[in-house]
Amino acid sequence: MAAALVLALHANISLAQEADSAETPPAPAEAKRDTVTVNAVGKLQFYRYADVNAQVVGQIKEVLFAVGDAVQEGKLVMEISPAIRATQVENNRAQMARLRAELADQQAQTDFAELQFKRQTQLKAQNATREESVESSRMNLSSARARVDSINAQIQQLEATLKFDEESSRHKQLLAPLSGTVVALNARPGQTVSIGQPGLSLMRIADLSKMTVQARVAEADVTRLKRGMTANFQTPGYPGRTWSGKLRQVLPVPADGTGEQGKQTFYNVLFEVDNPEQELMSGMTAHVQFIVAPAKDGLQPSSNQLAPAGTP
């Protein structure tokens, strides 16, 4: 009898559990959509920089900053001794004064020649002078006017020279075009420089508070990128750290060395990242993930939704 009671009790408990389970259906398992990304490799480069170049022919006298030094906009960074010396400038100014005096004297002679020609013309009308005298006065006037024109031409040429001398004197001091850090220097005291000198700039100054990431994205993936989307990247120099920015531009031409016959086409994609501590440096490698679709709770993506880059 005791055994029968135990069996009956167990049967009642099982029936109650089955009834409860029938009344409360199990909750469906939550599914998450993974983050959809486009992966790329890129390089860090300067976002804003300016070069310092010679604006006068001469010799570098002094270089006041070295690579890595911070400099403020408008600060003197380099001084050049112009090839045109002060004595030459003074000689040109003295020659200008002499030419202006000659011009005044020649203008007076021209005025006198004009009076002589007018008088001879009047006498000729009265048959009171010879034809030779009229022609002689005409030639004297023409000659005087030609000398005036010649002196004026010399004055104009000398004025241009003096202006160049003044510009050269004014540009012998090279100033920083922006506030930043000296990142390249190709100048040394005693070096001869000239205007428009080919080759490297004398100095490059960059603002390191912001950097640009230039990533190379494959042709198959670049059409999935849109301006303003989030771009994360890591660099081997700082393991475990991630920086973020917003996509600024997709350059519409293939990256150098790609797209040629037999080679895959890549496009350069640009975005900026703040660098207040100046930890990031130009040339660092960036492993970039462009966020095409962020992860969120919901149904698994259907077959026509975007899959992560590299997914077959």
Side-chain angles (χ1 to χ4, degrees):
M1 290 179 64
L5 289 172
V6 171
L7 289 173
L9 180 60
H10 277 263
N12 290 334
I13 293 173
S14 297
L15 289 171
Q17 289 177 343
E18 289 177 2
D20 291 339
S21 63
E23 293 175 0
T24 308
E30 291 186 357
K32 293 184 177 180
R33 184 177 71 184
D34 293 333
T35 302
V36 181
T37 64
V38 167
N39 299 324
V41 177
K43 290 286 186 181
L44 286 160
Q45 60 187 24
F46 300 127
Y47 171 68
R48 182 169 175 256
Y49 67 88
D51 292 335
V52 177
N53 290 301
Q55 302 180 48
V56 61
V57 178
Q59 193 174 56
I60 296 177
K61 179 180 179 182
E62 190 175 9
V63 180
L64 302 176
F65 292 88
V67 173
D69 290 346
V71 61
Q72 295 296 317
E73 181 178 355
K75 191 76 173 180
L76 178 66
V77 296
M78 201 177 306
E79 190 168 2
I80 297 176
S81 297
I84 300 173
R85 301 184 181 277
T87 53
Q88 183 177 347
V89 176
E90 291 302 321
N91 288 337
N92 288 337
R93 288 175 178 169
Q95 185 179 357
M96 175 63 77
R98 179 179 60 79
L99 286 174
R100 292 192 184 282
E102 288 184 8
L103 178 63
D105 179 68
Q106 189 59 48
Q107 188 62 57
Q109 294 184 37
T110 302
D111 293 341
F112 179 75
E114 287 181 351
L115 291 175
Q116 289 291 96
F117 177 67
K118 288 180 180 179
R119 183 169 180 274
Q120 288 296 325
T121 302
Q122 293 172 354
L123 291 175
K124 175 62 177 175
Q126 300 171 5
N127 291 323
T129 186
R130 295 180 300 173
E131 183 68 27
E132 293 81 359
S133 299
V134 176
E135 291 302 321
S136 177
S137 65
R138 187 196 306 275
M139 290 179 60
N140 290 337
L141 177 59
S142 297
S143 177
R145 287 174 174 173
R147 285 194 294 270
V148 168
D149 292 340
S150 175
I151 295 173
N152 277 324
Q154 294 179 58
I155 289 175
Q156 290 178 2
Q157 183 177 5
L158 194 56
E159 283 177 342
T161 301
L162 285 171
K163 184 177 180 180
F164 178 79
D165 294 347
E166 292 173 359
E167 290 290 330
S168 298
S169 178
R170 183 160 51 248
H171 293 306
K172 67 181 181 180
Q173 294 184 330
L174 302 184
L175 308 180
L178 56 80
S179 297
T181 303
V182 178
V183 296
L185 183 63
N186 302 290
R188 65 185 185 280
Q191 178 181 340
T192 301
V193 294
S194 60
I195 303 173
Q197 182 174 345
L200 300 175
S201 61
L202 297 178
M203 180 182 289
R204 173 166 291 182
I205 301 171
D207 178 6
L208 303 181
S209 63
K210 181 182 287 189
M211 302 292 287
T212 293
V213 179
Q214 178 175 292
R216 287 159 58 103
V217 179
E219 177 184 4
D221 293 325
V222 74
T223 55
R224 302 159 65 185
L225 304 183
K226 305 296 179 186
R227 181 180 298 179
M229 67 170 37
T230 299
N232 301 324
F233 76 92
Q234 300 82 36
T235 182
Y238 297 98
R241 293 189 60 180
T242 299
W243 283 264
S244 295
K246 296 294 184 181
L247 192 154
R248 170 168 61 89
Q249 185 180 15
V250 177
L251 298 184
V253 293
D256 292 341
T258 72
E260 300 173 1
Q261 187 175 6
K263 293 183 179 181
Q264 187 178 2
T265 302
F266 288 84
Y267 290 87
N268 288 322
V269 181
L270 307 177
F271 65 93
E272 277 68 51
V273 58
D274 291 332
N275 188 33
E277 302 299 325
Q278 299 186 8
E279 299 170 300
L280 299 172
M281 294 178 285
S282 176
M284 282 185 166
T285 301
H287 299 284
V288 184
Q289 303 88 39
F290 295 99
I291 309 302
V292 177
K296 68 177 183 179
D297 295 340
L299 299 176
Q300 291 290 343
S302 61
S303 59
N304 64 348
Q305 289 179 305
L306 293 175
T311 302

